Amino acid sequence: MVVILCVVVNIIVASLIHRFRWKIRYWYYVGHSNDTTFNDYTALDNSLRCSRFKYDIYLAYEEDAREFVLETLKPKLIEFEYVVFVHDDILDGLPLCNVLTKSIHASRVVVFVLSNGSRQSLEWKIAAHITNEESNHRGKPISLAMFYNSDSTQGLPENLQLLRLDAFIDYPINGSDWEITAFWEDLKTKVNAIDKTAL
């Protein structure tokens, strides 16, 4: 009887941990403050002491959109004076889940670049789940989806899939100069609108 009771309790505990695993990870990494440095890289905890946010935008993307993100999207956002974080900024040797969780926590807005990639990479999964937890914690939406050569919302955080249409934007891959200029202006408007949403 004792053995059966222990097995049942273990199954229940394991089920609860599995069900709330992303919430547990979120609170562990966000609530666990360490003043660490690695190869002159200072942990986010140190840089957030005087300011709530370190980054304006966190960009989540798959490998097939990497060139577009690093050569077009990120430079343009920096030109607009946004501070941008991408997972390619992470130094080798740093714990991925820890850095991504704290980076999303330290970002005003998360932009998901929807390409034809599988959206099954570890970086994408962490970003999707942690963005969902961060959005719930702030009590407001913090994400935006950009369609880049794709029209599927598979792999997005649950709350983003249910959001209104103005949380989505299409990048005009073969668009005219006017369309591309209009896209950048629209992107800035949407990012600023999410950032200014009342808590």
Side-chain angles (χ1 to χ4, degrees), residues 147-186:
F147 290 109
Y148 174 72
N149 201 25
S150 174
D151 59 3
S152 169
T153 60
Q154 178 186 355
L156 282 176
E158 295 169 17
N159 61 355
L160 186 54
Q161 291 186 27
L162 302 173
L163 281 181
R164 63 219 177 279
L165 289 176
D166 63 357
F168 295 87
I169 185 170
D170 283 301
Y171 180 77
I173 293 177
N174 298 313
S176 64
D177 290 344
W178 179 86
E179 289 174 316
I180 290 178
T181 300
F183 163 81
W184 293 120
E185 291 303 316
D186 193 27

Side-chain angles (χ1 to χ4, degrees), residues 58-195:
Y58 176 101
L59 294 175
Y61 55 93
E62 284 284 27
E63 187 60 32
D64 65 320
R66 185 172 182 268
E67 183 179 342
F68 165 72
V69 168
L70 298 182
E71 295 181 10
T72 304
L73 182 57
K74 183 180 177 184
K76 193 69 175 179
L77 292 172
I78 290 172
E79 182 183 314
F80 293 144
E81 299 185 352
Y82 290 117
V83 180
V84 181
F85 183 91
V86 296
H87 63 251
D88 281 290
D89 293 337
I90 300 173
L91 299 174
D92 291 337
L94 292 174
L96 185 65
C97 193
N98 185 355
V99 175
L100 292 183
T101 301
K102 290 185 177 182
S103 299
I104 290 170
H105 179 63
S107 298
R108 296 178 189 278
V109 177
V110 179
V111 176
F112 288 89
V113 180
L114 302 176
S115 59
N116 286 322
S118 65
R119 299 176 202 157
Q120 294 299 314
S121 69
L122 182 59
E123 292 88 351
W124 184 276
K125 287 181 179 178
I126 292 171
H129 288 289
I130 297 303
T131 298
N132 200 49
E133 295 300 330
E134 182 66 29
S135 182
N136 291 338
H137 175 63
R138 294 189 200 178
K140 67 171 191 171
I142 64 164
S143 50
L144 177 68
M146 176 193 301
F147 290 109
Y148 174 72
N149 201 25
S150 174
D151 59 3
S152 169
T153 60
Q154 178 186 355
L156 282 176
E158 295 169 17
N159 61 355
L160 186 54
Q161 291 186 27
L162 302 173
L163 281 181
R164 63 219 177 279
L165 289 176
D166 63 357
F168 295 87
I169 185 170
D170 283 301
Y171 180 77
I173 293 177
N174 298 313
S176 64
D177 290 344
W178 179 86
E179 289 174 316
I180 290 178
T181 300
F183 163 81
W184 293 120
E185 291 303 316
D186 193 27
L187 178 61
K188 285 196 300 184
T189 300
K190 289 179 186 295
V191 166
N192 293 338
I194 291 174
D195 184 30

Side-chain angles (χ1 to χ4, degrees), residues 10-68:
N10 282 336
I11 290 172
I12 291 171
V13 170
S15 299
L16 288 173
I17 289 173
H18 179 75
R19 181 175 179 186
F20 297 107
R21 65 192 182 281
W22 290 106
K23 193 175 290 295
I24 293 168
R25 282 183 180 182
Y26 172 80
W27 284 110
Y28 174 76
Y29 288 120
V30 169
H32 186 262
S33 296
N34 276 334
D35 293 347
T36 56
T37 57
F38 182 85
N39 289 348
D40 296 326
Y41 174 91
T42 304
L44 285 175
D45 304 308
N46 293 337
S47 60
L48 289 176
R49 288 205 173 133
C50 300
S51 172
R52 171 64 180 89
F53 298 108
K54 179 173 182 175
Y55 307 108
D56 295 306
I57 300 173
Y58 176 101
L59 294 175
Y61 55 93
E62 284 284 27
E63 187 60 32
D64 65 320
R66 185 172 182 268
E67 183 179 342
F68 165 72

